Amino acid sequence: MEQLEKLREIVNNSDNIVFFGGAGVSTESGIPDFRSVDGLYNQKYDYPPETILSHTFFRRKPEEFFRFYQDKMLCLGARPNAAHLKLAQWEKQGKLKAVITQNIDGLHQAAGSEKVLELHGSVLRNYCEGCGKFFGAEYMQEAKGVPRCDACGGSIKPDVVLYEEGLDGGTLREAINYIRNADVLIVGGTSLVVYPAAGLIDYYRGGKLVLVNKTPTARDGAADLVVQGSIGEIFGAL
């Protein structure tokens, strides 16, 4: 595959790579793209996922929110796939400077990546809104109904960016800085339609923009290399 050889050459010749990834990186680990409105969701829930995962819905209907959160977002049995593992390997080799992810599953860290910028937070972190006590994903998974703090009885909020909420300013600035200074920017597993995250690639100043995705994206025409297919299979072959 000609594109794969080009990608291998780009990676081999760089020590300043930044990876920016979306849901497609984790779907190959069995984690559903919760933004997709499919028959299963429609049968089981009275609202589409994007409505359930909004700040307004979290406040108004916490029982329904946490039912969806436990069912669809706490995928505690998921394991890193070949893409996660390859990125961690590149970091250890000094080739990759940072992983910027829209995913909230912690799989990059589980694979061994250390510099991970989580634009949308993580389901592995949950905090009491009353006293600030931290709760892991297992506590949230085992909770009945709306999870409550075992110290003060306060409500617990996942450390994830819901619809209607803004991204963390510090994380966003750091991500922009890494992208702006990267020699190679590899964008994988994202259709580049969710903003503001999708707009981050506009900060890239280099000449080696690589897009890896199963389907075409709106930015393919601006890329220096487009590799279409399973990101796990593609990265596993490098």
Side-chain angles (χ1 to χ4, degrees):
M1 181 180 177
E2 184 183 352
Q3 284 87 354
L4 188 62
E5 286 304 318
K6 288 181 179 177
L7 178 54
R8 182 179 286 114
E9 183 181 347
I10 288 172
V11 171
N12 288 343
N13 292 329
S14 177
D15 60 0
N16 184 11
I17 302 169
V18 170
F19 178 80
F20 174 49
V25 178
S26 290
T27 52
E28 294 184 33
S29 290
I31 294 181
D33 179 356
F34 55 78
R35 287 185 294 104
S36 299
V37 181
D38 59 27
L40 177 63
Y41 291 154
N42 288 336
Q43 291 164 22
K44 193 170 182 181
Y45 303 96
D46 296 330
Y47 306 89
E50 288 187 346
T51 299
I52 296 173
L53 296 173
S54 69
H55 180 86
T56 298
F57 195 93
F58 171 73
R59 294 298 180 201
R60 291 181 180 172
K61 296 182 180 290
E63 298 88 356
E64 185 81 357
F65 172 89
F66 278 110
R67 188 158 71 93
F68 185 89
Y69 186 73
Q70 290 175 326
D71 280 356
K72 295 296 179 185
M73 300 175 71
L74 293 179
C75 303
L76 303 187
R79 295 290 177 263
N81 60 54
H84 298 108
L85 296 170
K86 182 61 69 173
L87 291 165
Q89 178 187 323
W90 288 346
E91 183 182 29
K92 286 180 175 63
Q93 292 172 342
K95 305 181 79 58
L96 183 82
K97 299 305 181 190
V99 169
I100 302 164
T101 181
Q102 299 176 77
N103 298 333
I104 56 176
D105 48 51
L107 289 180
H108 285 293
Q109 292 93 329
S113 289
E114 295 184 13
K115 190 59 186 181
V116 182
L117 301 177
E118 296 172 314
L119 296 176
H120 295 158
S122 173
V123 296
L124 304 184
R125 299 187 300 270
N126 305 270
Y127 298 96
C128 173
E129 295 186 288
C131 68
K133 183 177 178 179
F134 166 85
F135 294 91
E138 290 80 7
Y139 184 91
M140 304 300 285
Q141 185 72 75
E142 294 167 7
K144 306 299 182 187
V146 178
R148 292 285 175 184
C149 176
D150 57 8
C152 75
S155 59
I156 300 173
K157 186 178 187 299
D159 186 19
V160 298
V161 179
L162 301 175
Y163 291 98
E164 303 167 347
E165 295 179 343
L167 302 186
D168 178 75
T171 304
L172 196 57
R173 285 190 294 274
E174 193 173 2
I176 289 170
N177 190 52
Y178 271 107
I179 289 173
R180 184 179 278 147
N181 293 301
D183 173 35
V184 176
L185 177 61
I186 302 176
V187 181
T190 173
S191 54
L192 293 171
V193 295
V194 177
Y195 284 81
L200 287 176
I201 68 169
D202 293 330
Y203 290 94
Y204 179 57
R205 295 171 172 174
K208 295 171 186 170
L209 173 61
V210 180
L211 300 186
V212 183
N213 202 44
K214 281 187 175 179
T215 57
T217 78
R219 307 298 289 269
D220 283 4
D224 300 285
L225 178 63
V226 175
V227 187
Q228 209 162 343
S230 157
I231 189 167
E233 291 177 9
I234 291 165
F235 275 39
L238 291 174

